[in-house]
């Protein structure tokens, strides 16, 4: 069996897919969405296809090592996203070849279903804003979610006046009031805060017992992250922008967070997501794989969620559950998705929807963000 062709599709905003076809007709799918750099990843996949075509698709680890190491310059979000999507597609093919879910080839499932959380929050406190937020919560509650993630949103300067901080804190406590004590709430700071401001705001939140605060500060400085963790009496999480085991090493060794959030479409695919999770187990850190893109990426994450003991909860967004790209949406029941049972990544693609190119390169976290007050650059 050899890899015969590699095709790329762009069926939805924030969803790019790669399809590997073998000479005996097996097809594997992966997701290569990299918000803000879509054309770069497309070019990277084309370059890597020159190597992969004609090769045995079952030598997944060998190809991973070649793609990561042989070109001298390693890593970076463009290469790692391309490698991640290709790795996922190879696991999809391997599962279909052996007629087993990918997780069965990685030691077998350690759980029967996968807990997922939903994105929900109170963004504005006008009557209309509250009604919209309430309606979304009621819709999500029908699926039995037991955890929701919101965030402060907006642009945060190095420090803000009490009115700005209090406004977010009040919205957060209103969320707690609405969901009650049996549901967990998490808050994504999107790496927009300074350590000092993050610590100050986390102390305001501690009375409502958050499940975690995510990326309180940017990802590059592990000591800054540890500074926040050391001063906050509830779990801190990070990892969606950390690529490969080597990027996570310092987070582990410094015990800088409680939970990590590697992204199956950036960290290095299914192969590397599992390895990072296994490393994290040593440090008593659980994984909560990041997934804010499409359904193929979610399927890839779930293959690893199935086989690692230190899994806590899986992120997903509405589009991750299917978005018309899969023949069947992933159903969320009692806040969980049952383990996929189909071979490979566990879904059947809807080719009429998935195999198209919409060509819209807009509004994908790459826009222009400036502070209103002085026009200087703000973090997304
Ligand atoms: Mg995040």
């Amino acid at each position: 069996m050899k890899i015969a062709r590699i095709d790329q599709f762009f069926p939805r905003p924030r969803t790019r897919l790669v399809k590997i076809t073998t000479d005996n007709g097996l097809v594997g799918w992966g997701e290569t969405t990299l918000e803000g750099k879509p054309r770069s990843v497309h070019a990277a996949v084309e370059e890597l296809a020159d190597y992969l075509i004609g090769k045995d698709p079952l030598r997944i680890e060998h190809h991973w090592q070649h793609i990561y190491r042989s070109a001298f310059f390693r890593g970076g979000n463009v290469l790692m996203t391309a490698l991640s999507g290709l790795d996922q597609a190879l696991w999809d093919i391997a599962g279909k070849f052996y007629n087993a879910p990918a997780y069965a080839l990685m030691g077998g499932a350690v759980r029967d279903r996968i807990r997922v959380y939903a994105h929900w929050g109170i963004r504005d406190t006008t009557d209309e804003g509250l009604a919209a937020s309430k309606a979304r919560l009621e819709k999500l509650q029908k699926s039995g979610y037991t955890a929701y993630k919101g965030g402060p949103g907006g642009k945060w300067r190095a420090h803000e006046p009490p009115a700005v901080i209090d406004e977010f804190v009040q919205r957060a406590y209103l969320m707690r009031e609405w969901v009650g004590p049996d549901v967990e709430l998490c808050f994504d700071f999107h790496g927009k805060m300074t350590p000092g401001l993050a610590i100050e705001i986390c102390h305001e939140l501690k009375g409502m017992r958050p499940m975690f605060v995510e990326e309180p500060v940017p990802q590059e400085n592990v000591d800054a992250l540890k500074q926040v963790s050391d001063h906050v009496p509830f779990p801190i999480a990070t990892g969606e922008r950390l690529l490969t085991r080597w990027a996570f090493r310092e987070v582990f060794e410094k015990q800088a967070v409680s939970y990590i959030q590697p992204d199956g479409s950036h960290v290095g695919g299914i192969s590397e997501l599992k390895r990072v999770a296994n490393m994290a187990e040593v440090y008593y850190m659980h994984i909560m794989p990041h997934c804010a893109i499409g359904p193929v990426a979610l399927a890839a994450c779930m293959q690893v969620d199935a086989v690692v003991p230190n899994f806590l909860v899986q992120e997903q967004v509405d589009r991750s559950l299917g978005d018309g790209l899969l023949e069947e949406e992933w159903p969320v029941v009692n806040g969980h998705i049952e383990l996929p049972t189909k071979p490979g990544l566990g879904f059947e693609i809807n080719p009429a929807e998935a195999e198209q190119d919409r060509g819209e390169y807009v509004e994908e976290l790459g826009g222009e963000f400036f502070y209103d007050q002085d026009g200087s650059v703000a973090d997304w």
Side-chain angles (χ1 to χ4, degrees):
M1 183 166 62
K2 289 185 168 58
I3 295 172
R5 53 180 298 145
I6 295 179
D7 298 291
Q8 298 188 70
F9 304 102
F10 182 3
R12 300 281 188 272
R14 293 179 77 175
T15 304
R16 278 165 192 74
L17 302 177
V18 60
K19 174 188 178 187
I20 298 181
T21 307
T22 66
D23 59 354
N24 57 348
L26 287 181
V27 167
W29 287 91
E31 184 156 346
T32 51
T33 310
L34 178 63
E35 299 101 325
K37 301 286 186 296
R39 282 169 284 200
S40 306
V41 176
H42 192 278
V45 170
E46 283 189 338
E47 282 187 324
L48 298 173
D50 291 343
Y51 158 76
L52 284 167
I53 288 171
K55 301 292 195 307
D56 177 355
L58 299 179
R59 298 183 67 185
I60 300 172
E61 180 61 24
H62 181 70
H63 299 320
W64 197 101
Q65 294 289 332
H66 172 82
I67 290 168
Y68 185 68
R69 291 166 54 200
S70 292
F72 188 72
F73 287 101
R74 302 178 180 193
N77 53 28
V78 173
L79 176 66
M80 292 313 298
T81 303
L83 170 53
S84 294
L86 291 165
D87 177 270
Q88 293 168 8
L90 293 175
W91 276 105
D92 196 22
I93 287 171
K96 288 168 180 168
F97 181 81
Y98 292 111
N99 194 31
Y103 62 77
L105 308 180
M106 293 187 283
V110 298
R111 54 182 47 80
D112 301 326
R113 56 196 66 84
I114 294 163
R115 186 187 183 198
V116 288
Y117 68 81
H119 284 240
W120 168 74
I122 297 174
R123 286 186 188 165
D124 95 68
T125 49
T126 62
D127 288 349
E128 306 82 60
L130 290 172
S133 181
K134 194 87 168 178
R136 176 161 171 80
L137 177 62
E138 284 167 0
K139 179 168 174 276
L140 293 167
Q141 283 171 328
K142 292 191 178 110
S143 297
Y145 286 101
T146 55
Y148 298 105
K149 188 171 86 181
K155 299 168 188 169
W156 290 77
R157 297 172 295 179
H159 204 268
E160 294 286 354
V164 175
I165 296 172
D166 291 346
E167 192 271 339
F168 163 59
V169 171
Q170 283 159 11
R171 282 189 285 123
Y173 275 85
L174 191 54
M175 287 168 66
R176 170 57 76 210
E177 198 179 308
W178 283 11
V179 300
D182 295 323
V183 164
E184 295 191 274
L185 292 175
C186 352
F187 299 93
D188 188 352
F189 286 13
H190 283 121
K192 297 180 182 199
M193 309 266 178
T194 55
L197 182 60
I199 291 166
E200 180 179 351
I201 295 177
C202 284
H203 273 270
E204 295 294 328
L205 295 180
K206 69 181 179 185
M208 57 126 68
R209 297 186 186 276
M211 184 181 192
F212 60 87
V213 158
E214 167 177 334
E215 284 198 316
V217 294
Q219 79 279 15
E220 303 105 324
N221 184 331
V222 176
D223 289 308
L225 193 61
K226 181 159 171 53
Q227 182 189 351
V228 176
S229 280
D230 284 348
H231 287 86
V232 172
F234 57 76
I236 298 294
T238 197
E240 67 185 75
R241 289 184 275 187
L242 296 177
L243 313 176
T244 78
R245 283 159 280 171
W246 291 277
F248 277 96
R249 181 177 68 95
E250 191 182 0
V251 174
F252 293 146
E253 290 177 351
K254 290 182 171 163
Q255 295 278 163
V257 295
S258 298
Y259 311 135
I260 58 161
Q261 304 167 292
D263 184 309
S265 281
H266 302 313
V267 75
I270 288 172
S271 301
E272 192 72 354
L273 179 57
K274 180 173 185 298
R275 290 189 285 251
V276 168
N278 292 152
M279 280 179 78
E281 186 183 0
V282 176
Y283 298 88
Y284 308 130
M285 291 183 196
H286 277 54
I287 65 161
M288 311 185 293
H290 176 257
C291 183
I293 49 177
V296 174
L298 177 65
C301 289
M302 291 197 294
Q303 297 298 320
V304 177
D305 301 339
V307 297
V308 298
N310 54 325
F311 163 78
L312 183 59
V313 66
Q314 173 64 53
E315 179 175 25
Q316 54 85 34
V317 292
D318 294 347
R319 77 179 81 85
S320 320
L321 295 176
D323 208 16
L325 300 172
L326 309 185
E327 292 291 357
E328 291 173 52
E329 292 238 327
W330 299 112
V332 179
V333 179
N334 294 327
H336 291 73
I337 297 176
E338 290 293 320
L339 283 192
T341 55
K342 291 191 174 79
L345 300 192
F347 58 80
E348 288 184 33
I349 208 86
N350 175 343
E353 285 296 317
E355 298 187 7
Q356 55 174 322
D357 187 342
R358 294 203 169 181
E360 303 155 6
Y361 292 105
V362 294
E363 293 182 15
E364 291 205 330
L365 316 193
E368 298 175 1
F369 294 92
F370 304 108
Y371 290 112
D372 300 334
Q373 296 89 343
D374 69 356
S376 63
V377 173
D379 289 316
W380 180 87

